[in-house]
Amino acid sequence: MTVVHDVPKQLYIGGRWQDAESGRTLSVDNPATGEELCQVADASPADGRRAAEAAVAAQAAWAATPPRVRSEILRRAYDIIIARTEDLALLMTLEMGKPLTEARAEVAYAAEFFRWFSEEAVRIDGGLTTAPDGKNRLLVTRQPVGPCLLITPWNFPLAMGTRKIGPAIAAGCTMVLKPAPQTPLSSLALAGILTEAGLPEGVLNIVTTTDAAGVVEPLLRGGQIRKLSFTGSTQVGRILLAQCADTVIRTSMELGGNAPLIVFDDADLDVAVEGTMVAKMRNMGESCCAANRIYVHTSVAEEFATRLATRMAALKVGPGTEPGIDVGPLIDIAGRAKAHDVVRDAVKRGATVLTGGELPEGPGCFYPPTVLTGVSADSAIIDTEVFGPVAAILTFDDEDEAVAAANDTEFGLAAYLFTQNLDRALRVSERLESGMIGLNTGLVSNPAAPFGGVKQSGLGREGGRVGIEEFLEYKYIAVPVGA
Ligand code: ADP
């Protein structure tokens, strides 16, 4: 496993790789085997403070660096990532579990954020207008918000990093990245690539730690960090928002989801089944956009469920490094237990298992693709973000009922709908309380689109034209012009 061997295992602070001050390390495990892959540095709050100080020290010079220079660093990093697709994909599969085909797709997706924001870096604009009374000229410019703290989850180890690092670099912000402790290797590899691409020291600092709360809270309360960009659970998001309130730190929050997927009776069922496979099974269901509740019109429910179960049962489950595997292990045993618990609860409340639903023997955190029909609305699966390969099917009789059920959640990240009726498609899209809609498609993620949610799924957007805005402040200069 030379890809693991080749990745630095230390903290990256002020352009130097270094051990944690305490000398402590944390274990990175392969979820396909349960075995340890390697140890990486386990930062303490003191290490976190040093990382923030390095980001603060680098901020002024980085903000003054020409946009074209920032842009070209991102573009070079894009080229390096693409050239190293195989190594980065294997690294991700080893630390996170997803099949190599999906890992390769994530490398391309992750790299695309760097290409996109390399193009945005040179297009930051302001304005010059005349005040209504005709006296002052109103000059508006943009400035980087300042040193940022970026916190990422384990499910898309590379793309969640590039989606935050890309716009921060483009905007001229320095940063501390705290990746999830389960998947630090992709982020450490990324730091190496950005350094090779010419990123000055101190612009990106990385702290890997098992003490997220202990490291993060002092940074948010310390007065030096000006922006938090977080992707993770709503539960942790709330804690961080409260901490940010005290020091009035700007936030971007990509939080949990509970995506509904609606199949109307006028849907093309082939398209609906294939779309559901993607919306449900991408990343083994370990995605905040994963279809969590599948509402199918009563008249097509049986046909849809049978077809979906046939496709799900044919998927090959196994270690993501092996050829032909469709479904890798879940991230850990706790993740698998959560998926199995909601399946058992649904069955207890009357659901039928069409395929899957049994805990497999043997090592690793595998869970079989599972389809449940006749799921009752009071089942735990309806308001639990499953994060696993479990498709829960419910039925509805009319559009209002489907929309009401879909919106009956505190979340509002993604929603999917399948219909061939354009009028209905637009009407229902507008009524769904959701930041993103997949209309006859199971995939919404795209670096050029504004990704994000409403309600308790978050604040702000990542990607698209607005992605860089999250890292920029307005500066308004009043200029009187004499008569
Ligand atoms: P998940 O359940 O998907 O692991 P979390 O919200 O727990 O989602 O984790 C997302 C990220 O937030 C990870 O990098 C994790 O280490 C970090 N995290 C978890 N708890 C805290 C906390 N109290 N303060 C700061 N970061 C945290």
Side-chain angles (χ1 to χ4, degrees):
M1 283 183 301
T2 89
V3 288
V4 173
H5 182 262
D6 291 347
V7 176
K9 313 286 185 312
Q10 293 171 298
L11 311 177
Y12 189 57
I13 299 176
R16 264 196 333 110
W17 294 100
Q18 49 199 272
D19 290 332
E21 245 174 49
S22 66
R24 282 210 321 264
T25 56
L26 63 89
S27 166
V28 184
D29 300 335
N30 180 347
T33 60
E35 285 163 11
E36 181 180 300
L37 284 171
C38 64
Q39 295 274 326
V40 307
D42 188 0
S44 65
D47 296 312
R49 270 195 299 278
R50 285 191 301 114
E53 279 157 17
V56 169
Q59 179 60 60
W62 183 236
T65 302
R68 178 62 75 198
V69 173
R70 301 201 300 264
S71 164
E72 283 174 352
I73 290 168
L74 282 174
R75 178 61 210 217
R76 275 196 295 276
Y78 165 82
D79 289 336
I80 299 171
I81 294 172
I82 294 298
R84 300 209 187 130
T85 294
E86 281 309 306
D87 283 358
L88 289 166
L90 179 57
L91 190 65
M92 229 187 312
T93 294
L94 288 169
E95 70 173 345
M96 186 276 170
K98 69 183 72 191
L100 271 177
T101 43
E102 290 206 42
R104 288 188 194 107
E106 181 176 341
V107 173
Y109 174 54
E112 204 53 55
F113 283 106
F114 280 1
R115 181 157 66 168
W116 176 262
F117 284 110
S118 79
E119 291 155 353
E120 293 297 283
V122 289
R123 313 237 184 281
I124 300 168
D125 57 8
L128 179 64
T129 52
T130 302
D133 65 6
K135 290 181 185 147
N136 280 4
R137 298 297 176 269
L138 315 180
L139 178 58
V140 177
T141 64
R142 314 304 304 278
Q143 291 185 325
V145 60
C148 302
L149 175 60
L150 315 177
I151 301 180
T152 53
W154 48 260
N155 58 345
F156 292 96
L158 206 57
M160 295 302 97
T162 58
R163 191 157 82 175
K164 297 183 189 305
I165 296 168
I169 287 179
C173 295
T174 61
M175 66 210 90
V176 176
L177 170 68
K178 195 215 77 62
Q182 296 93 332
T183 56
L185 300 177
S186 297
S187 298
L188 295 169
L190 201 53
I193 288 170
L194 280 161
T195 305
E196 249 181 276
L199 194 70
E201 58 187 43
V203 174
L204 168 67
N205 306 275
I206 302 197
V207 287
T208 48
T209 181
T210 51
D211 182 14
V215 169
V216 165
E217 184 168 359
L219 298 190
L220 295 178
R221 296 194 187 282
Q224 292 182 307
I225 293 294
R226 297 307 318 142
K227 155 102 198 167
L228 168 67
S229 178
F230 171 77
T231 299
S233 62
T234 296
Q235 186 193 2
V236 172
R238 283 190 199 104
I239 296 170
L240 297 178
L241 275 170
Q243 291 171 7
C244 287
D246 286 346
T247 38
V248 194
I249 289 178
R250 262 179 78 176
T251 60
S252 302
M253 305 301 247
E254 297 293 349
L255 307 178
N258 181 6
L261 183 152
I262 309 175
V263 181
F264 287 100
D265 49 355
D266 52 19
D268 177 329
L269 275 199
D270 290 333
V271 172
V273 170
E274 287 317 303
T276 306
M277 289 299 292
V278 175
K280 181 68 257 179
M281 294 305 293
R282 176 167 174 248
N283 221 38
M284 290 85 74
E286 291 175 320
S287 159
C288 46
C289 294
N292 213 47
R293 302 167 288 146
I294 301 171
Y295 296 100
V296 188
H297 191 270
T298 313
S299 65
V300 292
E302 198 175 327
E303 164 97 25
F304 175 86
T306 308
R307 289 208 216 173
L308 186 70
T310 305
R311 290 279 282 109
M312 291 279 272
L315 295 176
K316 232 173 123 192
V317 182
T321 47
E322 287 180 10
I325 292 298
D326 303 301
V327 185
L330 296 185
I331 188 69
D332 52 26
I333 290 296
R336 174 168 87 165
K338 180 177 170 191
H340 193 50
D341 283 352
V342 291
V343 168
R344 280 194 310 192
D345 170 79
V347 170
K348 210 170 68 195
R349 293 169 198 275
T352 304
V353 180
L354 292 194
T355 184
E358 302 279 344
L359 271 186
E361 305 268 321
C365 312
F366 297 98
Y367 197 75
T370 298
V371 177
L372 303 172
T373 54
V375 176
S376 76
D378 64 348
S379 305
I381 198 166
I382 300 306
D383 51 24
T384 306
E385 191 176 16
V386 180
F387 251 56
V390 181
I393 301 179
L394 301 92
T395 55
F396 67 90
D397 290 312
D398 67 53
E399 191 178 298
D400 285 347
E401 183 191 348
V403 170
N407 286 341
D408 186 17
T409 168
E410 71 199 21
F411 296 108
L413 190 59
Y416 305 88
L417 69 114
F418 291 86
T419 173
Q420 297 193 83
N421 176 334
L422 180 62
D423 189 26
R424 166 176 275 160
L426 295 179
R427 186 171 61 235
V428 174
S429 293
E430 286 181 11
R431 292 178 70 196
L432 289 172
E433 296 166 354
S434 169
M436 299 175 285
I437 308 272
L439 177 53
N440 295 318
T441 175
L443 185 67
V444 291
S445 299
N446 188 313
F451 185 104
V454 300
K455 293 159 82 177
Q456 296 192 33
S457 284
L459 298 167
R461 294 292 182 269
E462 292 190 308
R465 296 301 311 275
V466 298
I468 196 169
E469 299 286 330
E470 305 269 329
F471 293 87
L472 291 169
E473 289 284 12
Y474 285 97
K475 164 112 4 126
Y476 149 57
I477 304 169
V479 190
V481 175

